[in-house]
Amino acid sequence: MLDPNVNALYLILETFIFAPCHDKTLHYPAVMADFGFNEHHQNEVINYMRFARSKRALRLKTIDSCFQDLKDSRLIEETYTVDEVSDMLDGLQVLVRGEVEMELINTAHTNVLLLRQLFSQAEKFYLRLQTDISELENRELLEQVAEFEKTDFKPNSKVNQESSKPKLAPLNEGVSELLQKEISRLQEDNDKLKARLRTLESQAMSALDDKSKAERALKDLQKSQGDHQEIANLEGTVAAMQADFEKTLNANVASQKDLQDSLVSAKHDLLRVQEQLSLAEKELEKKFQQTAAYRNMKEILTKKNEQIKDLRKRLQRYESDE
């Protein structure tokens, strides 16, 4: 019989990690095709199921040895009383129960370590994986997993085993990644607007310098020449230059105002995108805290803490008695 813990982990992988594979050139077993695993993930599942099978076989050998030890050490007479038989069965029950419980606990802990690897890889890409615990009792899927194990894990013969440590890659861009890209784009636009604003400011300063030079030249002409007509002409030229300068300055002021408005709008867009990112992360966190897995883990931790407190109280009481 297939280990139920292997079934459970296998279904968890199927429910929240692997996307359907539409490559018609791959020739996977029928069961793998139903789950939508690609070639690499199929090999990862096979490796884990082999590992689980070896651990299960080792534990079964231990249980067989418990029965054999009972036969060799206790079943040495031809007749036994009811109490003797009951005593032997009770002892055997304790041994077998301990072995089975140890294996179940070890399997659960092993599955947690495997999930830890998957979650750690997913978090590098800002993904938040979710599980559907109800799918772990899907009889149809469980039968498919059991059927796949009967094939002795014989995938396509052309499988190319990776020598390096595998890493989980995102299947598609998540909400967080898209928001990060939008933020980067807005920041680039912001930098461009700032650079353009600096250029316009430089041009305005240059125009002011030209005006100062013209005014100084006019004063010099007024001092050196007494011809009022020439001075009037110069004044007209200066007035024209001043009018042109004022037009240019007004145009620069309007352009600068437009740039400032664009900069303010870009900042508002950036803040809105950051707020959307924060809301999306809070919503995903809220959904995770509402899952059965989170509540179960929280309940287990609470019970463990209560057990630890009780053990400490008992230890203090024993020390005080001594």
Side-chain angles (χ1 to χ4, degrees), residues 76-201:
I76 55 179
E77 300 179 6
E78 294 183 357
T79 59
Y80 292 92
T81 64
V82 174
D83 292 338
E84 290 175 338
V85 173
S86 177
D87 181 61
M88 288 187 290
L89 291 178
D90 290 341
L92 182 60
Q93 179 185 5
V94 172
L95 292 176
V96 173
R97 178 184 177 84
E99 292 292 337
V100 173
E101 182 179 11
M102 184 183 301
E103 176 61 17
L104 292 175
I105 293 174
N106 182 69
T107 301
H109 293 174
T110 303
N111 292 342
V112 171
L113 293 180
L114 184 58
L115 290 174
R116 176 179 176 271
Q117 296 181 24
L118 298 176
F119 291 152
S120 298
Q121 294 179 35
E123 288 175 359
K124 293 180 180 178
F125 298 97
Y126 306 100
L127 297 177
R128 292 181 180 272
L129 305 182
Q130 287 184 305
T131 60
D132 188 355
I133 303 300
S134 62
E135 285 295 312
L136 301 182
E137 297 181 354
N138 189 319
R139 298 307 307 172
E140 181 179 355
L141 294 178
L142 292 174
E143 290 174 0
Q144 291 180 9
V145 177
E147 186 66 24
F148 173 66
E149 190 181 31
K150 293 179 182 179
T151 64
D152 293 329
F153 312 128
K154 295 179 180 178
N156 184 20
S157 59
K158 296 182 180 180
V159 173
N160 182 18
Q161 298 291 343
E162 295 180 356
S163 58
S164 62
K165 183 177 179 181
K167 298 196 174 193
L168 180 65
L171 301 173
N172 47 45
E173 292 183 341
V175 176
S176 298
E177 186 174 356
L178 292 176
L179 291 176
Q180 290 293 345
K181 287 185 176 181
E182 182 66 16
I183 291 173
S184 299
R185 185 186 66 79
L186 292 174
Q187 288 177 344
E188 290 178 359
D189 294 342
N190 189 16
D191 293 337
K192 291 179 180 178
L193 292 174
K194 287 182 178 180
R196 187 177 177 185
L197 179 61
R198 287 194 294 268
T199 301
L200 292 175
E201 289 177 349

Side-chain angles (χ1 to χ4, degrees), residues 292-308:
Y294 177 83
R295 293 195 298 270
N296 292 338
M297 183 62 69
K298 185 174 181 180
E299 182 178 357
I300 292 174
L301 289 176
T302 303
K303 291 181 179 179
K304 291 295 183 181
N305 289 333
E306 293 177 355
Q307 292 178 358
I308 291 174

Side-chain angles (χ1 to χ4, degrees), residues 213-246:
K213 291 178 181 179
E215 289 176 349
R216 286 196 297 268
L218 177 60
K219 290 179 181 180
D220 292 338
L221 287 174
Q222 288 175 347
K223 290 179 181 179
S224 62
Q225 299 180 359
D227 192 350
H228 297 288
Q229 183 64 33
E230 187 175 358
I231 292 175
N233 293 335
L234 289 175
E235 288 178 348
T237 303
V238 171
M241 292 178 60
Q242 186 173 3
D244 293 337
F245 169 75
E246 289 177 354

Side-chain angles (χ1 to χ4, degrees), residues 1-4 51-69 92 95-96 98-104 107 149:
M1 180 181 293
L2 187 63
D3 191 338
F51 166 76
R53 175 183 286 183
S54 64
K55 298 292 289 184
R56 186 170 69 248
L58 180 63
R59 190 60 61 184
L60 290 176
K61 288 181 180 180
T62 304
I63 294 176
D64 291 339
S65 66
C66 293
F67 283 88
Q68 189 62 41
D69 290 342
L92 182 60
L95 292 176
V96 173
E99 292 292 337
V100 173
E101 182 179 11
M102 184 183 301
E103 176 61 17
L104 292 175
T107 301
E149 190 181 31

